[in-house]
C-alpha cells in the first residue's frame, strides 16, 4: 500500500465507525417481537391509582421498569389466578432480570378490592406483582385508554354480581411505551422472549 | 304371610338397585384439587370425572362442610373478554370423561368456615342430577400453582 492512500483508508474507517455508532444508538429499529406489536398504536402508561400499600401512584412511578398490565378482580377464582400463575412462571424464567419488570394487576372491582385485599392477593402469586385499585372513574379511564373493557352485572344471590373483563396482557417498555398485546393463551416462550427484548432495550433504570 | 311380604320387598329393592345404578356408582373422580386464595376470597376446585357406565350422567354441583356455598361455574373467553357463568349441570358422557380445569368448568367455593392452607385435604361431596353423591378428597394447592396435567 502506498503512503498517499493512507488518509483515504483512514477516512473510510472513520466513516464506518461513525455509521456503526449511529446504528448502535438508534432505537427506532423495530424489535423482533413475537407477540402482537402495538408500538405506536397505544398510548403510554398513565394512571392515577392506589397501590397495594395504600400509596398513591401514577404511571410515571413505573418508568425504568418493563410493565405487564392486566385487569382483573380478586373474587375471580379461575381465570385471573390462572393468568397470574402463568405470569409468575414467566417471571421465574426471567431469573434475576425479572427485577426489571413489574406485573400491574388493576382491579375492575374497586368496591371490594381494597389495597389490603389486593396486597394479600398479588403477593400470593409473585413478589414483583403490584395490585392497583382506586376510584372507579380512574380505573375506567385506564381501562378505556387501552380499549380494554369490563362490565358488572348483578348476580342472582345476595348482592353478588358477575364481572366480565378484558383478558389481554399489555407489555410496556422501560419508557412507558406500549409495545406488546398478549392474550392469556399466548405461549409462555413468546412472552419470555418479548420480555427479554424489552428488558434489554430502552432506558436503563 | 309376613316373611313372604318382606322377601318381596327385599327382592324389589335389590331389583331396583340393580336396574337403577346411580350416577355416582359409575363415576370415578381423579386429579381433584383446590386453588387456595388468600383471606376469605372464593377458591376454584377442579377434578376429572370418568364415567365407566353405559349411560350419560351429569354433575349438578357439590357441597362441603368447610365451604358454605359451592357453585358450578364455567369460565369462557369470547372476543377478548373473560367471564364466569353459573351452570346447572355438566354432562359426563357414557364411557367418557368431563374435565373441571382452569379456564373452563370449576366449582366455586365460598364462605369457608375454616382456614384452608396449601397441603390440606378438603372433602367435597359431588352431586349428580339423579341425586346420588360421591365424596371426594381435594388437595389444596397454592394460589400460583400451575396445573401441569392439562
Ligand atoms: Cu367461578
Amino acid at each position: 500500500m502506498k503512503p498517499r492512500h493512507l488518509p483515504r483508508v483512514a477516512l473510510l474507517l472513520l466513516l464506518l465507525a461513525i455509521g456503526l455508532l449511529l446504528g448502535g444508538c438508534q432505537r427506532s429499529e423495530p424489535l423482533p417481537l413475537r407477540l402482537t406489536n402495538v408500538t405506536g398504536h397505544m398510548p403510554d402508561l398513565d394512571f392515577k391509582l392506589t397501590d397495594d400499600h395504600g400509596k398513591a401512584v401514577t404511571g410515571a412511578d413505573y418508568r425504568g421498569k418493563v410493565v405487564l398490565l392486566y385487569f382483573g378482580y380478586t373474587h375471580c377464582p379461575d381465570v385471573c389466578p390462572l393468568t397470574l400463575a402463568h405470569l409468575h412462571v414467566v417471571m421465574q424464567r426471567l431469573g434475576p432480570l425479572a427485577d426489571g419488570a413489574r406485573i400491574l394487576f388493576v382491579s375492575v372491582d374497586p368496591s371490594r378490592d381494597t389495597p389490603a385485599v389486593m396486597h394479600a392477593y398479588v403477593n400470593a402469586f409473585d413478589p414483583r406483582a403490584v395490585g392497583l385499585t382506586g376510584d372507579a372513574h380512574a380505573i375506567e379511564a385506564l381501562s378505556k385508554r387501552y380499549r380494554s373493557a369490563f362490565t358488572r352485572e348483578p348476580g342472582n344471590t345476595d348482592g353478588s354480581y358477575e364481572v366480565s373483563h378484558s383478558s389481554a396482557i399489555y407489555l410496556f417498555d422501560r419508557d412507558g411505551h406500549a409495545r406488546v398485546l398478549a392474550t392469556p393463551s399466548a405461549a409462555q416462550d413468546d412472552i419470555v422472549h418479548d420480555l427479554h427484548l424489552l428488558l434489554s432495550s430502552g432506558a436503563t433504570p | 304371610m309376613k316373611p313372604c311380604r318382606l322377601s318381596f320387598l327385599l327382592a324389589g329393592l335389590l331389583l331396583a338397585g340393580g336396574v337403577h345404578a346411580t350416577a355416582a356408582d359409575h363415576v370415578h373422580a381423579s386429579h381433584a384439587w383446590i386453588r387456595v386464595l388468600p383471606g376469605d376470597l372464593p377458591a376454584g376446585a377442579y377434578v376429572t370425572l370418568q364415567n365407566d357406565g353405559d349411560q350419560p350422567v351429569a354433575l349438578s354441583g357439590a357441597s362441603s362442610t368447610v365451604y358454605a356455598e359451592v357453585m358450578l361455574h364455567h369460565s369462557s373467553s369470547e372476543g377478548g373478554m373473560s367471564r364466569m357463568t353459573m351452570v346447572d349441570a355438566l354432562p359426563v358422557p357414557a364411557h367418557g370423561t368431563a374435565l373441571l380445569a382452569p379456564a373452563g368448568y370449576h366449582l366455586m367455593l365460598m364462605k369457608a368456615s375454616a382456614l384452608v392452607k396449601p397441603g390440606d385435604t378438603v372433602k367435597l361431596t359431588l352431586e349428580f342430577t339423579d341425586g346420588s353423591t360421591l365424596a371426594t378428597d381435594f388437595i389444596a394447592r397454592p394460589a400460583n400453582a400451575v396445573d401441569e396435567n392439562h
Side-chain angles (χ1 to χ4, degrees):
Chain A
M1 209 180 270
K2 284 173 184 167
R4 63 185 167 96
H5 282 156
L6 259 180
R8 206 190 282 173
V9 170
L11 189 69
L12 268 171
L13 281 174
L14 186 69
L15 282 174
L16 195 71
I18 289 170
L20 280 173
L21 275 172
L22 282 177
C25 292
Q26 216 170 40
R27 265 198 240 114
S28 57
E29 201 180 302
L31 289 174
L33 296 162
R34 282 194 198 160
L35 298 166
T36 307
N37 190 332
V38 295
T39 307
H41 298 288
M42 276 194 175
D44 290 355
L45 187 66
D46 188 27
F47 55 80
K48 278 195 176 101
L49 294 169
T50 307
D51 74 6
D52 58 86
H53 292 281
K55 202 179 113 202
V57 287
T58 69
D61 290 320
Y62 299 95
R63 293 292 186 270
K65 299 284 182 199
V66 167
V67 164
L68 298 87
L69 179 73
Y70 176 61
F71 295 89
Y73 61 111
T74 68
H75 281 68
C76 163
D78 186 43
V79 169
C80 304
L82 178 68
T83 303
L84 290 171
H86 277 148
L87 292 182
H88 167 64
V89 174
V90 163
M91 295 294 264
Q92 275 185 317
R93 286 181 56 185
L94 289 171
L97 271 179
D99 286 338
R102 289 290 178 272
I103 299 167
L104 300 188
F105 178 68
V106 180
S107 172
V108 296
D109 186 12
S111 57
R112 290 192 288 191
D113 289 341
T114 61
V117 171
M118 291 292 275
H119 185 73
Y121 191 80
V122 295
N123 278 286
F125 293 95
D126 194 275
R128 286 133 318 187
V130 177
L132 297 177
T133 186
D135 178 67
H137 294 288
I139 287 168
E140 209 179 311
L142 178 60
S143 158
K144 280 210 174 111
R145 190 171 172 85
Y146 298 105
R147 294 164 224 164
S148 165
F150 61 90
T151 59
R152 263 190 296 263
E153 296 154 26
N156 33 15
T157 45
D158 52 273
S160 76
Y161 43 89
E162 284 183 2
V163 183
S164 65
H165 58 101
S166 177
S167 52
I169 302 152
Y170 305 80
L171 306 191
F172 295 82
D173 64 21
R174 294 184 193 270
D175 298 316
H177 302 314
R179 303 301 295 264
V180 170
L181 186 62
T183 60
S185 54
Q188 228 164 54
D189 285 351
D190 291 347
I191 302 181
V192 171
H193 172 272
D194 286 1
L195 280 172
H196 261 291
L197 285 181
L198 295 178
L199 283 162
S200 52
S201 68
T204 39
Chain B
M1 287 307 270
K2 245 182 186 176
C4 191
R5 207 190 279 170
L6 188 66
S7 58
F8 262 118
L9 191 71
L10 278 173
L13 275 174
L14 281 171
L15 199 64
V19 172
H20 304 285
T22 65
D25 290 337
H26 289 295
V27 174
H28 301 276
S30 61
H31 196 53
W33 65 285
I34 296 171
R35 186 193 296 283
V36 175
L37 293 167
D40 50 8
L41 290 173
Y46 307 101
V47 62
T48 300
L49 300 177
Q50 194 185 329
N51 176 11
D52 60 16
D54 298 323
Q55 299 296 319
V57 300
L59 180 76
S60 57
S63 65
S64 160
T65 52
V66 177
Y67 296 94
E69 234 177 271
V70 182
M71 289 200 280
L72 181 58
H73 274 182
H74 182 246
S75 298
S76 57
S77 191
E78 250 176 70
M81 296 286 284
S82 300
R83 62 179 303 120
M84 255 189 344
T85 41
M86 278 244 285
V87 191
D88 291 330
L90 166 64
V92 192
H95 299 286
T97 53
L99 229 57
L100 284 88
Y105 288 96
H106 58 273
L107 291 163
M108 184 146 141
L109 315 176
M110 284 164 291
K111 300 178 183 164
S113 59
L115 185 72
V116 177
K117 301 178 300 300
D120 290 353
T121 299
V122 178
K123 202 176 284 294
L124 297 186
T125 303
L126 303 176
E127 297 166 350
F128 297 90
T129 47
D130 69 350
S132 61
T133 59
L134 182 66
T136 306
D137 282 336
F138 283 68
I139 305 285
R141 300 179 66 196
N144 59 7
V146 177
D147 193 9
E148 63 286 316
N149 286 39
H150 301 291

